[in-house]
Amino acid sequence: MEGKVGRHMSLCALYLFIYYGYGALYPLITQYYQSIQLTGTQIGIISAVTPVVSMVTQPIWGMICDRFQIRKPVLMLALVASGLVGLLFPAVSTFALVFLMYVLLSIFQSALVPISDSMALGYAKQHYLQFGDIRLWGAVGFAVAALLTGLALEQWGTGSIFVSYCAASLIAVWFLRNIPDNTESAPR
């Protein structure tokens, strides 16, 4: 996809698939937790990981991106790494290992929204577009994923949650490749 329309479609598709991954994972991950017999307390502790990790790692991701002007490569790394970490979840079944996997997943996930928002805001400003028209595709992706992954969960079990998450992350990388580097600056 080339040209202004192709870049715009790639940015919308990036949002669609980043949030498709979130929609595949977050509404359904408690099904996985229950399948490995985690307690309510353990599930609560794991659920608290992402906000705590994000408070520490989001500023670090931002400093790296700003200092070295590498938003797109960092976003690619975060998408690939979080997708691959997601695939490892079905291989673990103890609270300690799930907790560690969730910390690792949260480290990489914490980069996704701020960096993609920065790129989309820069692109929208450059091309006199509304950010909401781009971001809307994230809501669509989340809703579609929750439905389709829920159906897959019923058919194939909890592993489908993580396969869906990883696939969405890798598809997002494919669309990210088509977004030019000059869209990387957020408006100041």
Side-chain angles (χ1 to χ4, degrees):
M1 287 187 274
E2 292 186 23
K4 185 177 177 182
V5 171
R7 288 189 298 272
H8 181 78
M9 287 177 54
S10 290
L11 198 52
C12 292
L14 174 69
Y15 270 83
L16 179 85
F17 286 102
I18 286 174
Y19 283 88
Y20 189 104
Y22 287 148
L25 185 67
Y26 288 114
L28 302 167
I29 197 163
T30 55
Q31 297 293 316
Y32 162 72
Y33 296 151
Q34 291 171 350
S35 76
I36 61 170
Q37 279 98 41
L38 293 184
T39 68
T41 301
Q42 291 170 328
I43 293 170
I45 291 168
I46 292 169
S47 297
V49 165
T50 297
V52 172
V53 168
S54 293
M55 285 189 294
V56 174
T57 57
Q58 281 182 347
I60 294 168
W61 287 120
M63 286 186 284
I64 292 168
C65 290
D66 292 344
R67 171 73 170 95
F68 300 105
Q69 294 299 302
I70 54 170
R71 283 176 179 79
K72 186 174 171 179
V74 169
L75 184 54
M76 282 186 176
L77 168 72
L79 283 164
V80 170
S82 67
L84 295 177
V85 168
L87 276 183
L88 297 175
F89 272 85
V92 299
S93 60
T94 65
F95 170 70
L97 289 176
V98 171
F99 181 85
L100 290 174
M101 294 293 298
Y102 211 77
V103 168
L104 191 57
L105 179 71
S106 296
I107 288 168
F108 291 108
Q109 273 190 343
S110 69
L112 302 182
V113 172
I115 297 173
S116 60
D117 282 354
S118 176
M119 292 177 71
L121 284 164
Y123 182 85
K125 183 179 180 185
Q126 278 181 331
H127 298 282
Y128 306 101
L129 300 170
Q130 293 294 316
F131 171 69
D133 293 342
I134 298 167
R135 176 59 184 80
L136 167 72
W137 289 99
V140 171
F142 190 98
V144 170
L147 172 65
L148 295 181
T149 307
L151 294 171
L153 173 70
E154 287 180 0
Q155 185 70 32
W156 297 294
T158 57
S160 60
I161 297 168
F162 305 105
V163 170
S164 295
Y165 177 77
C166 181
S169 298
L170 297 178
I171 293 169
V173 168
W174 188 81
F175 284 105
L176 178 58
R177 295 175 322 123
N178 299 318
I179 300 169
D181 290 338
N182 66 355
T183 65
E184 295 183 13
S185 298
R188 302 232 182 249

